Amino acid sequence: MKTSKINPAFYGTLLILLFFSCTTATIVRELKTTDQLKNSSTTNKFIKAHMKDGTVYILNEWHIDTKANQLVGFGKHLDIGRRQIKEAKQGERFPILIVELDQLVLVETNEVGTKLGGGLVFMSGLVGGLGTYCLISPKSCFGSCPTFYAETADTVKILAESFSTSIMPSLEKNDIDMLYEAKYMKDFKLTVTNEAMETHSIRYANLLVFEKSGQGRIFADGQGKFFQCSEMVEPLNCDSFLGDCLPQVRSVDQVEYFSESDPENLNSKEEIHLRFDNQSQNPKGLIIGKRQTMMTTYLLYQGLAYMGDAASYFLTDYELGNRKRQLEVFNLLGGVDIYMKDSLGVWNFISSVSETGPIASDFNLITLPNFSERDIEIKVVLNRGLWRIDYLSLAEIHDEVYPAVLAPTEVIRVNGDEINPLGKLLDSDSYLVTFPGDKYDLHYDLPFEDGEVFLDAKGYYLEWMREEWSKEQNFRKLRQMINHPEAFLRKVAKDYKKYEPVMEETFWSSRYVY
């Protein structure tokens, strides 16, 4: 259940773009807590430590003094303008540079794919066999957030992607997803995977379980409330500028309605008109199942590409609280807006729903005002080329219901380094940290004979930089993206159209799987 505005991580000023580069080696960028750094391997001989005061330490040899809570090493200390403050040459005993760990914001290392104590990584350069696919469309490389698989009636499939907008530690939040097609079993299993060039930090992954009554379903509205619904009926007709869309939206079958983007402007809207038979006077709601296309993924990766080698400085600036500028590009694209025609023929705005992420469809309930006419007419307004709509129906709304909240009872490590994954998910101060190719089976004991299941997960993740992206470093275009989003969406439209036809296939083909 994702109904808030898309909240991108790119804030801050452009004053930090002057930066020091002391090496041509591939850089791995990693955010970490003090405890994670203490567990880091000192075989990583080069690190760049970004501090809360804006200065940077570049160390060629280092170790952790756990008693003093300090990072100690040889190298250079640079001020905010990247001028040298102090140097401690390698091989000399003194002077040693001392870094207070509680003042540390971000660390970079030159060891590709390193797992510095399980922190979050930004990496420049592709790993494994992804190069061929990502070279076709560099902004289509698979990426998202933790993906959760569950058993359905006839297979096992991805049913949720969690906290898709939490692409920085300071953006951590919980995310509730309906596991619409999950097969209800007393011994319920979710498999969480990391199939992208990312690092994921999962604080918890709980289930919200509701006991079923009758043949209805339970859906969540935009205020975080859950309602028993019944009598789901498909539209009498579904009309879009592409023609009849009823075959695409009448059932949950991955046959989706979507349009291509406007070649002149990515910020271009379209409308879907629906008509339903109002069979009773009971309270009604619109059920919508949807996911995003690759448009927001492309724009996110394009922003990272424009940052290039300075991405770590933007991230540091953001984590220090310099968030004066929001990248309005995503908010301009907007969500899915719902309108309803009243008895006078006037379209009235009802609500807006949104979900960031192209992997799994999520489902929302939009409560409609009471209406006595035989036909209910609804207008869905959305950005062209941004949404894939799998399901639209009208439902009767009954009582509000409340879930049983269940943490996993067992976590089995299929692939990964964490030796106590269950303990991490049960400890509110810890994270289950996963890297590309990691896979864990989460087991739950469900309390009812039959029920509805939602996933409530909290955490954050960080994208790894790709070598192809860093070649596009361009602060002028980044400035336009931030300061003039309307013009940027017009300018980038033609470039996006070049990749749009192959992005979906490329995205799924470039998953990282052992």
Side-chain angles (χ1 to χ4, degrees), residues 195-210:
E195 302 178 19
M197 288 291 119
E198 301 166 351
T199 311
H200 302 158
S201 286
I202 307 170
R203 189 182 292 274
Y204 64 73
N206 296 332
L207 293 185
L208 307 181
V209 185
F210 302 82

Side-chain angles (χ1 to χ4, degrees), residues 5-20:
K5 284 187 176 181
I6 299 170
N7 184 16
F10 302 120
Y11 296 85
T13 68
L14 297 176
L15 298 179
I16 56 173
L17 294 180
L18 293 176
F19 61 96
F20 180 88

